[in-house]
Amino acid sequence: MSSEERTWRARSDTHVQGPLGEHQYEPEPLVSVVTLTHDRPEALLRCVSSVAAQEGVRTEHVIVGDACPALDDHTFVDQLIEIRSDLVIHNQMRIPGFEAVYLSSRLGQMRNLGISLSRGAYVGQLDDDNAYHPQHLRTLVDALKSAPDAGVAHSWRRLVTDDGNEFIPVDEDPWWPVVEGRAARSESYERLVRLGVFVPGSAEVHDVFKVDGELIARLDTNELLVRREIHDRVPFREDFSPARQKMQWTEDFTLAIDLARANVDVVCTRQATVDYTMGGCSTNGEELRNSL
């Protein structure tokens, strides 16, 4: 490991929430959550609190900093540890071989790094500015238990602004590439309304993998719970062709494509159990943009 990389793991093996274990003889499988962060310390505190508040599951929380200044601040790290003493914290510095200039490539690299540092039978992702509802992971674990042939479960999400108010998409798909223009964004919005992904007047996004066998590939990383053996077969994509970069393919959209190609079954809880903050990035996006 490079001297510029800093990883800290507490001695405690797991964090147990809620009443789980009181009336059970066998412990539940461990659920690992990976969080990417760059420089949003207040948001990260809320993120860590939301994982620590999960009900009915055993969890491990791995934080991967993208040259994150707050993770070099012992006072701030102490605040994190006050919330949860058994965090795994890795502050990835800028070293040779870890310098992807396309943002989704770097996000894929960091997500795979976080997965490699985790130990759970299930792996979820939670970016630093988002938050789980207390039942989020429990409902995902239950969905996978109910569908033993499925490799991935996902929830829906509720869109919010930085100040916590609901964000309601109006007439445009806010994630459709800006380079394709407003007409394309409006067309995508209308199609997703027909598919039930967007509900006019609602802040909930009912993301979907397939509809009647057609691949829609709407899976946000914050909604996912993946069996570890699936990630071993289908990691996050780290290399994107120039054509995919031009089309602004993201690491979560590409993961959905790769899951479909690998014939991985995906199930949905049909519950909006993630608060998803619109805008921002959990990695050092400004530095990456300046390097293009």
Side-chain angles (χ1 to χ4, degrees):
M1 177 176 292
S2 166
S3 62
E4 292 186 325
E5 294 180 66
R6 301 163 191 171
T7 307
W8 177 82
R9 183 188 291 271
R11 293 181 181 177
S12 178
D13 287 337
T14 60
H15 187 84
V16 181
Q17 295 84 5
L20 186 67
E22 185 176 346
H23 303 294
Q24 290 182 279
Y25 296 101
E26 295 295 331
E28 286 282 300
L30 180 65
V31 178
S32 297
V33 177
V34 175
T35 291
L36 310 186
T37 190
H38 169 57
D39 193 18
R40 292 190 290 214
E42 292 304 317
L44 181 59
L45 290 169
R46 183 189 65 161
C47 169
V48 171
S49 295
S50 83
V51 177
Q54 290 301 289
E55 297 174 348
V57 289
R58 293 194 310 139
T59 65
E60 168 191 65
H61 198 169
V62 177
I63 297 174
V64 180
D66 185 19
C68 178
L71 295 183
D72 287 331
D73 181 341
H74 294 294
T75 300
F76 176 74
V77 171
D78 286 344
Q79 292 181 57
L80 292 175
I81 294 172
E82 285 181 10
I83 299 171
R84 178 164 188 164
S85 62
D86 60 346
L87 292 169
V88 178
I89 300 174
H90 177 98
N91 198 14
Q92 178 64 49
M93 311 309 288
R94 290 307 170 95
I95 59 174
F98 213 85
E99 295 291 343
V101 296
Y102 182 56
L103 184 55
S104 292
S105 292
R106 185 158 179 79
L107 288 168
Q109 288 178 339
M110 295 183 66
R111 294 194 193 285
N112 289 333
L113 173 62
I115 293 167
S116 74
L117 294 171
S118 71
R119 300 165 298 144
Y122 304 111
V123 182
Q125 303 277 333
L126 183 62
D127 293 341
D128 59 0
D129 60 338
N130 300 323
Y132 289 156
H133 296 194
Q135 73 277 20
H136 174 73
L137 292 177
R138 180 72 259 170
T139 58
L140 290 170
V141 170
D142 288 345
L144 287 175
K145 284 187 173 182
S146 298
D149 292 334
V152 177
H154 73 97
S155 69
W156 291 337
R157 51 182 159 161
R158 171 178 170 264
L159 306 184
V160 298
T161 61
D162 284 332
D163 55 11
N165 293 322
E166 288 190 339
F167 177 94
I168 300 175
V170 178
D171 297 333
E172 290 186 5
D173 178 354
W175 295 287
W176 195 260
V178 175
V179 295
E180 297 193 18
R182 296 192 63 178
R185 290 164 67 87
S186 296
E187 182 180 345
S188 176
Y189 173 84
E190 292 170 0
R191 174 174 176 266
L192 293 174
V193 168
R194 292 193 297 271
L195 291 171
V197 175
F198 289 139
V199 179
S202 174
E204 287 191 3
V205 179
H206 297 170
D207 286 314
V208 64
F209 184 55
K210 293 181 179 180
V211 174
D212 296 331
E214 177 189 357
L215 180 63
I216 309 301
R218 297 282 303 201
L219 296 181
D220 180 76
T221 51
N222 296 270
E223 303 168 327
L224 298 179
L225 192 66
V226 181
R227 297 187 194 272
R228 177 168 295 277
E229 59 267 26
I230 298 299
H231 266 318
D232 291 341
R233 290 170 47 203
V234 188
F236 281 96
R237 188 74 65 92
E238 298 183 8
D239 296 316
F240 292 79
S241 67
R244 289 181 176 178
Q245 292 185 36
K246 185 176 181 179
M247 291 186 292
Q248 299 180 18
W249 279 33
T250 60
E251 84 286 359
D252 47 3
F253 176 73
T254 308
L255 177 69
I257 300 292
D258 291 342
L259 289 171
R261 289 174 174 169
N263 296 314
V264 176
D265 290 334
V266 177
V267 294
C268 181
T269 65
R270 301 183 64 84
Q271 298 181 52
T273 51
V274 177
D275 280 347
Y276 180 95
T277 303
M278 296 298 292
C281 182
S282 298
T283 189
N284 193 349
E286 188 61 37
E287 179 176 328
L288 292 176
R289 283 189 290 272
N290 289 342
S291 67
L292 292 175

